[in-house]
Amino acid sequence: MIVASTTDIGVLYGTFALLRAVQTQRPVSAFSMKSAPRVRRRLLDHWDNLDGTVERGYAGRSLWDWSRLPAISPRYRDYARANASIGINGIVLTNVNANAKVLTPAYLAKVAALADVFRPYGITVYLTARFSAPIEIGGLTTADPLDSRVRAWWRAKIDEIYGYVPDFGGFLVKANSEGQPGPQDYHRSHADGANMFAEALAPHHGVVMWRAFVYRSALAEDRVRQSYDEFAPLDGHFRSNVLLQTKNGPLDFQPREPFHPLFGAMPKTAQMIELQITKEYLGEDSHLVYLAPLFSEVLTAETYARGPGSTVGRVIDGTLQGQRETGMAGVSNIGSDTNWTGSEFNQANWYAYGRLAWDHGLSPDSIADEWVRMSFSNDSTVVRTIVHIMLVSREAAVNYMTPLGLAHLMGTNHHYGPAPWARVTRADWSPVYFHRADSAGIGFDRTITGSNAVAQYFPPVRNRYADRATVPEHLLLWFHHVAWTDQMRSGRTLWDELALHYQAGVDTVRAMRHAWSSLRGKIDDERFTETERFLSIQEREARWWRDAVLQYFATFSHQPLPIGVEPPAHSLSYYLALRCPRDEHKPRCEAIP
Ligand code: GCW
């Protein structure tokens, strides 16, 4: 058996591939494989705060114990090894809602200690840069990116960081988004901001990953248009060591969104995709939702930027438009919990992300098969049963949360549980802003008669989405406002179709639960019982979603439930009363029977 590579780290990856073959019981005697990653920077983005909390983290506290660092916990090494085993080679340690303190010497010494642990595993450390850091920790009165003192401050700061971490990867920046400071505070463009960092990082071979997740007040406009409108005109204005980091869809990590129209629309810009591994809108820790189908759906989506074959994956890996800097980012779901991710099945999403970052063409079922064999058993019944549960789980969640192209019906702060009735001061955080239900129908008109966001896609995609006759039904209400009684392809009315999707979501979770129960005794009790408990929560909450959403929409549609949909267990006022307290980080609306 020979494991060979042109680099040390390649040998490590090769060894992990061999171990994977052994663990999944592939015939090792005939084993021969050759593999290279399709994107260069395969990153995990932690949204970890210096106070130990994790934004949208559901697996305990932050893994980084800043108060004890530079003392090293053995978990850091285990974490690095796990990441290396799936090809991840970069970690952004801190939240994009950034704290400038991480750039001070006391913290840089801690960052350096982590970098030393990660280095042998081929993992580079990156940090988030708070745009206003020159004011907050630098004593300047401005953070204007064209001000020479500001530029000098960042240059010196970056040189200082490289003194601590010689192979530092660079910065990830969230600017002028959701209250974060940025270049527009000084009437400068995103390119001005990004290029300031890029210029200072270039001598050290560092990069800046600049997030495209921006939106202004949405009172008049369509929030999903804004990132494209802001960034597409800047194509060609970014330095070569800037990567524009764009979320998979134009809204915000929903159970389903169309792909982001910026992919393919900026041929002169290196573009990374940002996927969310932590399940902010997908049931957080307790719902079993395997995300590879979601990730793969966007990576294989056809942008038509250069005709057929112009998939998002090929935009990202640089083969479509010739970018040399390439990368993918996954928002981490890892915390201090013993099982790392809050639930056993959330580990599968970490695994799947790494595998797809290595090769975006891998299939969700082959990744699930590998993961189940390595995590549970090679017994064929166990493998078949668990892989099946995983593969149906994402569509189940779409069905019981936001079917047919609906989006953002979740509770307004915590994003957990249904709240289609909710309005908050910031209009574009309100479910009512997104679903637009009225007595005539439901859905957001993004065609020429509405916001025309559909025009941001390349022509064949644009036309397909814009036309009621050709838009895929799973994106229907994303692009169209449709009458409750309009006929769907099935021949049913929209109302009936919607109700049956919600019911299908509940039915699928029931079937998942039933399938899981057949594994008793075939896997260890601890993980069997934990998953059984979570699936019972998931089934209960799928019903909660179905009942609350359908009852609320029935107040507009005045339609009865179709045959096959179970009548809601409670009145609408009951569900309204369950609204989770807005300021509670992670509600558990336990009142549901
Ligand atoms: O929608 C939002 C999340 C925020 C997150 C933001 C972002 C880090 O709810 O928690 O902030 O996306 O991606 O910047």
Side-chain angles (χ1 to χ4, degrees):
M1 186 65 59
I2 297 171
V3 176
S5 170
T6 52
T7 61
D8 287 359
I9 215 66
V11 175
L12 183 66
Y13 292 147
T15 308
F16 280 122
L18 178 61
L19 288 172
R20 186 153 56 233
V22 172
Q23 277 186 294
T24 56
Q25 296 188 346
R26 291 180 59 187
V28 175
S29 54
F31 182 67
S32 159
M33 78 173 289
K34 202 172 170 176
S35 183
R38 290 171 79 168
V39 304
R40 183 164 163 210
R41 296 176 197 269
R42 302 174 298 280
L43 266 59
L44 270 188
D45 288 3
H46 283 251
W47 285 358
D48 292 18
N49 299 315
L50 300 184
D51 67 1
T53 58
V54 181
E55 180 148 353
R56 312 301 178 186
Y58 313 105
R61 308 261 305 163
S62 169
L63 202 55
W64 323 133
D65 190 342
W66 294 106
S67 57
R68 293 202 187 143
L69 276 163
I72 293 302
S73 144
R75 291 210 86 185
Y76 300 155
R77 205 162 283 119
D78 294 344
Y79 163 87
R81 193 170 56 240
N83 276 317
S85 78
I86 52 175
I88 286 170
N89 67 357
I91 307 292
V92 182
L93 293 175
T94 45
N95 192 354
V96 287
N97 292 332
N99 185 335
K101 249 180 17 195
V102 76
L103 305 175
T104 58
Y107 277 91
L108 290 175
K110 298 167 192 274
V111 170
L114 284 171
D116 290 344
V117 175
F118 298 163
R119 192 169 295 112
Y121 296 94
I123 294 171
T124 306
V125 157
Y126 300 73
L127 292 173
T128 46
R130 184 158 164 90
F131 201 82
S132 49
I135 302 173
E136 286 153 12
I137 58 167
L140 300 185
T141 51
T142 176
D144 181 348
L146 298 191
D147 184 298
S148 57
R149 288 160 306 165
V150 172
R151 296 174 86 83
W153 187 84
W154 278 113
R155 259 197 317 274
K157 179 51 72 185
I158 286 166
D159 292 346
E160 183 189 356
I161 296 174
Y162 280 92
Y164 284 92
V165 184
D167 54 355
F168 179 63
F171 286 140
L172 169 63
V173 184
K174 171 176 178 178
N176 292 120
S177 167
E178 301 187 328
Q180 295 297 308
Q184 293 178 332
D185 302 348
Y186 306 93
H187 309 290
R188 312 296 185 196
S189 73
H190 281 283
D192 293 331
N195 290 340
M196 169 188 67
F197 291 110
E199 199 182 296
L201 285 158
H204 303 281
H205 310 292
V207 295
V208 54
M209 298 168 290
W210 193 267
R211 291 178 91 227
F213 178 69
V214 297
Y215 57 99
R216 296 178 296 275
S217 162
L219 291 173
E221 315 177 64
D222 179 356
R223 169 171 158 183
V224 313
R225 285 192 61 113
Q226 295 178 22
S227 163
Y228 180 102
D229 287 346
E230 187 81 54
F231 282 96
L234 295 177
D235 189 32
H237 293 260
F238 292 101
R239 292 183 60 111
S240 59
N241 58 334
V242 176
L243 294 112
L244 190 67
Q245 183 165 314
T246 306
K247 291 188 181 183
N248 58 283
L251 179 50
D252 191 17
F253 299 136
Q254 297 301 297
R256 171 168 281 127
E257 293 184 39
F259 68 87
H260 201 300
L262 271 179
F263 293 121
M266 298 185 67
K268 298 185 196 129
T269 307
Q271 282 211 67
M272 293 174 73
I273 191 168
E274 180 177 310
L275 300 166
Q276 197 183 40
I277 310 170
T278 189
K279 304 203 310 300
E280 172 179 351
Y281 293 93
L282 283 135
E284 301 186 355
D285 56 351
S286 48
H287 291 208
L288 191 167
V289 184
Y290 172 54
L291 296 176
L294 188 166
F295 298 161
S296 174
E297 185 172 290
V298 61
L299 291 166
T300 58
E302 286 276 11
T303 67
Y304 279 91
R306 299 219 165 143
S310 307
T311 60
V312 171
R314 294 199 52 223
V315 173
I316 295 311
D317 70 17
T319 56
L320 187 74
Q321 294 165 325
Q323 288 87 352
R324 288 186 44 231
E325 269 299 348
T326 57
M328 259 200 222
V331 179
S332 154
N333 62 349
I334 295 151
S336 58
D337 279 5
T338 310
N339 68 9
W340 302 98
T341 51
S343 92
E344 197 63 28
F345 276 86
N346 282 344
Q347 282 184 16
N349 293 330
W350 176 12
Y351 182 82
Y353 165 73
R355 299 289 287 134
L356 285 167
W358 184 273
D359 180 356
H360 55 75
L362 292 175
S363 74
D365 43 347
S366 69
I367 298 172
D369 184 271
E370 279 175 12
W371 181 78
V372 173
R373 289 175 186 278
M374 290 191 289
S375 306
F376 283 102
S377 162
N378 275 289
D379 174 284
S380 62
T381 313
V382 173
V383 174
R384 207 173 342 105
T385 307
I386 302 183
V387 168
H388 179 74
I389 290 173
M390 290 167 73
L391 290 178
V392 298
S393 62
R394 186 279 183 127
E395 206 58 37
V398 170
N399 279 333
Y400 65 73
M401 291 181 179
T402 50
L404 298 177
L406 287 171
H408 221 305
L409 303 184
M410 296 76 186
T412 49
N413 253 4
H414 43 71
H415 299 156
Y416 194 88
W421 44 74
R423 290 169 196 276
V424 286
T425 332
R426 187 152 181 156
D428 52 356
W429 286 354
S430 301
V432 292
Y433 168 89
F434 290 104
H435 63 64
R436 314 228 149 177
D438 55 28
S439 58
I442 181 171
F444 201 127
D445 182 2
R446 295 194 164 103
T447 68
I448 187 85
T449 51
S451 75
N452 207 24
V454 73
Q456 295 176 332
Y457 291 93
F458 286 93
V461 182
R462 177 196 302 171
N463 304 340
R464 186 162 167 252
Y465 289 170
D467 186 346
R468 269 290 307 276
T470 51
V471 64
E473 253 172 25
H474 62 255
L475 294 175
L476 177 65
L477 304 176
W478 185 279
F479 290 108
H480 297 269
H481 190 77
V482 181
W484 296 110
T485 50
D486 263 14
Q487 206 182 54
M488 307 288 287
R489 283 175 205 139
S490 63
R492 289 187 277 268
T493 64
L494 169 65
W495 171 256
D496 283 0
E497 191 74 35
L498 196 64
L500 286 162
H501 273 272
Y502 276 99
Q503 183 65 41
V506 173
D507 291 345
T508 310
V509 178
R510 268 192 201 132
M512 287 159 61
R513 217 179 144 186
H514 181 73
W516 185 260
S517 68
S518 73
L519 298 175
R520 186 186 298 279
K522 294 201 168 71
I523 57 173
D524 58 284
D525 276 352
E526 191 180 334
R527 291 185 300 172
F528 176 82
T529 311
E530 181 207 78
T531 305
E532 189 181 45
R533 192 165 58 82
F534 282 156
L535 283 167
S536 79
I537 294 173
Q538 188 173 1
E539 185 192 326
R540 189 180 63 183
E541 294 185 346
R543 279 189 279 124
W544 171 33
W545 267 97
R546 177 200 61 196
D547 293 358
V549 174
L550 289 181
Q551 286 205 37
Y552 171 72
F553 286 146
T555 62
F556 298 96
S557 76
H558 302 292
Q559 304 275 319
L561 289 177
I563 293 167
V565 177
E566 295 159 26
H570 302 279
S571 67
L572 183 57
S573 54
Y574 173 89
Y575 290 108
L576 285 169
L578 278 178
R579 275 179 298 183
C580 307
R582 291 242 315 267
D583 53 356
E584 206 177 318
H585 174 57
K586 185 179 154 196
R588 279 275 171 258
C589 297
E590 287 296 351
I592 306 284

